[in-house]
Amino acid sequence: MSDRPIRVIVADDQAAVRDGLVTILDHEPDIDVVGSAVDGATAVELARRLTPAVVLMDLRMPGVDGIAATRTLTALDPAPAVLVLTTYADDASIVGALQAGAAGYLTKSAGRAQIVSAITATADGHRTFAPEIASAMVRGLTHRTALERIAAAHALTVQETRVLQLLSERRTNRAIAESLYVSVATVKTHVNNLFGKLQVGSRAEAAALVERVRDHGL
């Protein structure tokens, strides 16, 4: 059983969401919100200074995003448990957060009771996932394995693999650029390189390759 009250940092770039969560959690006698952050870098800085038990982490934030921040936070000593609370429930976000070391994953459709319960469980060392996340976790892990096999077979760079992952989810160049915090021109360069390495002529063919490897192997 963790110490009470549970020291929590809330990280979300949207002020209304961040302030709302702080207000909700401040009314919980077993939770002490010790800080709030507008991005991943600030969350890491506060965690180093304030040693929270749990960081409630959004994923899509400017600068250092939630996945990168989670990776840094879980390497600290002592390391807080990271509980993701985000709008996004796509396979890439879920798998990325888990690989970074997140202990739990909720979507922002979660109610007050579910969030409080998840914070308590996470502080006590349990892994907590929203019900709708479970099937996506299985899909995402399978999808990730396919991407890793393609990357190894075709000598893709890390960034090219990330672009292929997002491309296989039928995202536009602009959406990929926003997700990776790069320019659209940079994404176009990666896409062209992918086409050459994979010997495909279109985004649809590249996505189909990922599906084929996922379902049947190389």
Side-chain angles (χ1 to χ4, degrees):
M1 180 69 69
S2 64
D3 294 336
R4 295 295 191 272
I6 301 165
R7 295 169 61 81
V8 173
I9 287 175
V10 175
D12 197 299
D13 65 321
Q14 296 182 341
V17 174
R18 186 176 64 252
D19 293 347
L21 287 168
V22 170
T23 298
I24 288 172
L25 298 177
D26 271 343
H27 284 85
E28 296 295 323
D30 288 338
I31 293 176
D32 180 17
V33 179
V34 296
S36 63
V38 299
D39 55 31
T42 305
V44 171
E45 178 188 348
L46 290 175
R48 285 192 171 118
R49 189 156 45 87
L50 302 173
T51 60
V54 176
V55 176
L56 195 59
M57 179 71 72
D58 189 19
L59 290 186
R60 306 287 173 87
M61 295 182 289
V64 177
D65 66 15
I67 289 177
T70 296
R71 192 175 294 112
T72 301
L73 287 168
T74 54
L76 296 179
D77 184 18
V82 177
L83 175 60
V84 171
L85 180 65
T86 183
T87 302
Y88 303 94
D90 58 282
D91 297 349
S93 296
I94 295 166
V95 173
L98 294 180
Q99 290 187 330
Y105 200 112
L106 300 178
T107 64
K108 288 181 180 176
S109 62
R112 173 177 181 161
Q114 187 178 5
I115 294 171
V116 171
S117 176
I119 289 173
T120 302
T122 301
D124 287 341
H126 303 295
R127 295 172 67 81
T128 306
F129 302 98
E132 67 269 23
I133 298 300
S135 60
M137 287 170 62
V138 174
R139 288 197 313 271
L141 290 169
T142 305
H143 189 67
R144 172 68 64 173
T145 301
L147 288 165
E148 289 173 347
R149 293 173 68 182
I150 292 171
H154 297 276
L156 303 186
T157 67
V158 172
Q159 196 74 326
E160 286 168 352
T161 305
R162 289 172 178 164
V163 170
L164 178 60
Q165 174 182 342
L166 298 170
L167 187 153
S168 71
E169 296 170 3
R170 306 302 198 271
R171 299 202 195 185
T172 65
N173 284 350
R174 182 168 298 281
I176 294 173
E178 291 174 353
S179 180
L180 298 179
Y181 300 104
V182 298
S183 69
V184 173
T186 297
V187 172
K188 289 180 179 178
T189 298
H190 287 313
V191 170
N192 288 333
N193 290 342
L194 279 172
F195 285 0
K197 289 184 177 182
L198 301 179
Q199 297 185 332
V200 299
S202 69
R203 303 165 72 89
E205 288 181 20
L209 173 62
V210 175
E211 294 300 313
R212 187 164 63 252
V213 172
R214 188 189 68 184
D215 295 337
H216 305 293
L218 286 168

